[in-house]
């Protein structure tokens, strides 16, 4: 049995235990403490914190997320750090309302309930929890799915909502050579069992917030945004919602009818399909089709985006472009929500 130490977080005055054989972030998840995080692989800096006291060791990580000078000063990435004594750690990025409101990580055995292609390269995968029989999460979060026959996992966002905890939907893009993606064509069938661990992620709606919501998605990044919109519809949320979705061609658009129906149940909803190759395509009904990259369309149509909460999910280049634009527009960082997966998470 590994030795156990106590971690004290400042300035929030929260304590927890951590074993020497687990990363500090994982220990927090296990105990329902919702620390800020992103990739969980030491690459994005979302969990960067400062060690005030204690013996710690940080494992392999990207120097982009925490460089040598920062490490020498005492900065660490909690997802890659283990404790070997009692420690006091200053959190640099946190949401007090969320800290103790997180859902503890669950290890769930699931069965494939359905597998359906929704575009040429995106598959809707629905899993039925077996043990336990339900999977609890917040709209906008993601989970790790085990690759059958291996010990590897990949991260995918839920597209469903907690209203159907016995049926969990994922939208997965088939990348060439991807280990999980390859199985979607020939290797995973209805009835197969898949291990699920989660939920993870901080890109969730915040209770009591009233700012308009702008969602920017692309590819399989439809999933967490669809979960948010579905949830807002179910809850009768009255906040304005503008949903921008980027695709390459009109054939890459999907779930449009459902999104339209969801919008009909919201007070102020706009869905804009942003298609880079939209020659000959015209807007119709409640669906607006704009030609161009999704970030460029948002620049044209959202002049007041600095006064909105923005939710992002899509390929890393899209997320990076959107973040650069939001920085230039003066959108406060505490109004921007995203989980930036590293490339293996898209397999």
């Amino acid at each position: 049995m590994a030795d156990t130490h106590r971690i004290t977080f400042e300035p929030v005055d929260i304590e927890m235990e951590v074993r020497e054989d687990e990363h500090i972030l994982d220990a927090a998840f296990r105990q329902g403490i919702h620390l800020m995080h992103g990739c969980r692989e030491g690459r994005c800096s979302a969990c960067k914190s400062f060690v005030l006291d204690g013996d710690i060791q940080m494992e392999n990580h990207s120097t982009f997320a925490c460089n040598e000078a920062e490490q020498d000063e005492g900065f660490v990435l909690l997802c890659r750090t283990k404790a070997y004594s009692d420690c006091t750690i200053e959190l640099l990025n946190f949401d007090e309302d969320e800290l103790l409101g997180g859902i503890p990580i669950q290890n769930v055995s699931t069965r494939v309930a359905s597998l359906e292609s929704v575009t040429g390269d995106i598959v809707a995968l629905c899993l039925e929890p077996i043990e336990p029989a339900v999977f609890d999460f917040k709209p906008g979060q993601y989970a790790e799915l085990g690759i059958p026959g291996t010990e590897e996992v990949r991260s995918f966002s839920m597209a469903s909502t907690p209203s159907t905890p016995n049926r969990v939907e994922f939208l997965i893009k088939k990348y060439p050579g991807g280990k999980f993606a390859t199985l979607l064509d020939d290797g995973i069938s209805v009835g197969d069992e898949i291990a699920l661990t989660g939920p993870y992620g901080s890109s969730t709606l915040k209770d009591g917030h009233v700012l308009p919501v702008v969602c920017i998605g692309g590819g399989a990044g439809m999933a967490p945004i669809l979960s948010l919109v579905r949830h807002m519809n179910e809850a009768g949320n009255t906040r304005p919602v503008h949903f921008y979705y980027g695709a390459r061609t009109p054939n890459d658009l999907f779930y449009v009818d459902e999104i339209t129906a969801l919008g009909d149940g919201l007070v102020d909803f706009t869905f804009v399909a942003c298609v880079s190759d939209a020659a000959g395509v015209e807007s119709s009904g409640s669906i607006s089709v704009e030609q161009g990259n999704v970030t460029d369309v948002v620049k044209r149509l959202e002049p007041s985006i600095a006064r909105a909460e923005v939710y992002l999910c899509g390929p890393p280049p899209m997320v990076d472009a959107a973040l650069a634009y939001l920085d230039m527009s003066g959108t406060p960082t505490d109004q921007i929500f995203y989980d930036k997966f590293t490339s293996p998470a898209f397999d």
Side-chain angles (χ1 to χ4, degrees), residues 5-16 18 22-25 27-28 35 47-57 74-94 99:
H5 305 291
R6 180 159 294 275
I7 304 294
T8 301
F9 292 113
E10 299 290 349
V12 294
D13 195 26
I14 291 176
E15 294 186 352
M16 72 171 196
V18 60
E22 65 182 340
H23 295 114
I24 292 174
L25 185 64
L35 300 180
C47 65
K48 185 184 293 184
S49 302
F50 186 78
V51 178
L52 296 170
D53 182 61
D55 181 14
I56 59 92
Q57 181 175 334
F75 290 94
V76 296
L77 304 173
L78 297 182
C79 67
R80 305 301 299 161
T81 299
K82 295 180 178 178
Y84 295 94
S85 73
D86 291 351
C87 298
T88 302
I89 296 176
E90 180 184 2
L91 299 177
L92 305 179
N93 183 22
F94 63 91
L99 268 172

Side-chain angles (χ1 to χ4, degrees), residues 194-261:
I194 294 179
L196 179 156
T197 302
Y200 300 105
S202 307
S203 188
T204 60
L205 285 173
K206 312 306 174 187
D207 292 338
H209 289 202
V210 297
L211 287 176
V213 172
V214 174
C215 300
I216 306 173
M222 165 77 79
I225 294 174
L226 184 59
S227 180
L228 292 174
V229 174
R230 284 170 164 169
H231 173 71
M232 294 180 78
N233 175 279
E234 294 169 353
N237 197 298
T238 59
R239 297 169 69 179
V241 182
H242 294 177
F243 180 3
Y244 296 85
Y245 179 73
R248 189 173 62 85
T249 72
N251 290 333
D252 296 314
L253 299 174
F254 62 103
Y255 285 7
V256 171
D257 290 343
E258 181 188 351
I259 293 169
T260 301

Side-chain angles (χ1 to χ4, degrees), residues 272-336:
V272 181
C274 310
V275 184
S276 56
D277 181 8
V281 177
E282 297 180 356
S283 300
S284 63
S286 58
I287 298 300
S288 173
V289 179
E290 295 281 338
Q291 186 163 7
N293 293 327
V294 61
T295 305
D296 293 333
V297 174
V298 173
K299 288 179 184 178
R300 294 199 309 265
L301 301 183
E302 293 289 340
S304 301
I305 199 166
R307 295 192 293 275
E309 285 186 353
V310 184
Y311 293 81
L312 309 170
C313 192
M318 186 219 82
V319 173
D320 290 341
L323 289 173
Y325 161 62
L326 292 171
D327 181 57
M328 291 179 59
S329 71
T331 306
T333 56
D334 62 0
Q335 292 171 206
I336 303 171

Side-chain angles (χ1 to χ4, degrees), residues 19-281:
R19 301 189 307 267
E20 288 189 355
D21 62 353
E22 65 182 340
H23 295 114
I24 292 174
L25 185 64
D26 290 333
F29 288 148
R30 177 171 56 81
Q31 295 166 79
I33 299 172
H34 193 76
L35 300 180
M36 287 293 186
H37 59 283
C39 68
R40 300 176 14 261
E41 297 177 351
R43 297 181 182 277
C44 76
S45 80
C47 65
K48 185 184 293 184
S49 302
F50 186 78
V51 178
L52 296 170
D53 182 61
D55 181 14
I56 59 92
Q57 181 175 334
M58 185 162 54
E59 298 175 343
N60 291 340
H61 64 281
S62 166
T63 54
F64 173 80
C66 185
N67 62 43
E68 290 184 7
E70 291 175 317
Q71 189 172 349
D72 290 343
E73 290 178 30
F75 290 94
V76 296
L77 304 173
L78 297 182
C79 67
R80 305 301 299 161
T81 299
K82 295 180 178 178
Y84 295 94
S85 73
D86 291 351
C87 298
T88 302
I89 296 176
E90 180 184 2
L91 299 177
L92 305 179
N93 183 22
F94 63 91
D95 183 329
E96 268 191 279
D97 294 333
E98 290 284 324
L99 268 172
L100 297 178
I103 298 173
I105 298 302
Q106 304 147 67
N107 293 310
V108 185
S109 299
T110 75
R111 180 185 297 113
V112 176
S114 66
L115 193 66
E116 178 186 0
S117 293
V118 293
T119 72
D121 59 3
I122 295 179
V123 171
L125 172 67
C126 287
L127 302 180
E128 176 188 2
I130 304 171
E131 179 59 41
V134 298
F135 171 52
D136 192 18
F137 63 95
K138 294 183 179 181
Q141 291 191 298
Y142 67 94
E144 289 183 339
L145 301 185
I147 300 177
T150 77
E151 295 185 359
E152 294 185 67
V153 298
R154 292 294 183 266
S155 298
F156 303 107
S157 297
M158 281 71 76
S160 50
T161 72
S163 68
T164 58
N166 60 341
R167 189 177 178 88
V168 187
E169 180 184 10
F170 298 88
L171 299 173
I172 302 175
K173 185 175 178 65
K174 296 188 293 185
Y175 285 88
K179 290 187 177 180
F180 201 102
T182 301
L183 296 177
L184 295 174
D185 283 328
D186 183 20
I188 294 178
S189 303
V190 172
D192 290 350
E193 294 191 7
I194 294 179
L196 179 156
T197 302
Y200 300 105
S202 307
S203 188
T204 60
L205 285 173
K206 312 306 174 187
D207 292 338
H209 289 202
V210 297
L211 287 176
V213 172
V214 174
C215 300
I216 306 173
M222 165 77 79
I225 294 174
L226 184 59
S227 180
L228 292 174
V229 174
R230 284 170 164 169
H231 173 71
M232 294 180 78
N233 175 279
E234 294 169 353
N237 197 298
T238 59
R239 297 169 69 179
V241 182
H242 294 177
F243 180 3
Y244 296 85
Y245 179 73
R248 189 173 62 85
T249 72
N251 290 333
D252 296 314
L253 299 174
F254 62 103
Y255 285 7
V256 171
D257 290 343
E258 181 188 351
I259 293 169
T260 301
L262 291 170
D264 289 342
L266 295 171
V267 174
D268 180 359
F269 179 82
T270 301
F271 176 65
V272 181
C274 310
V275 184
S276 56
D277 181 8
V281 177

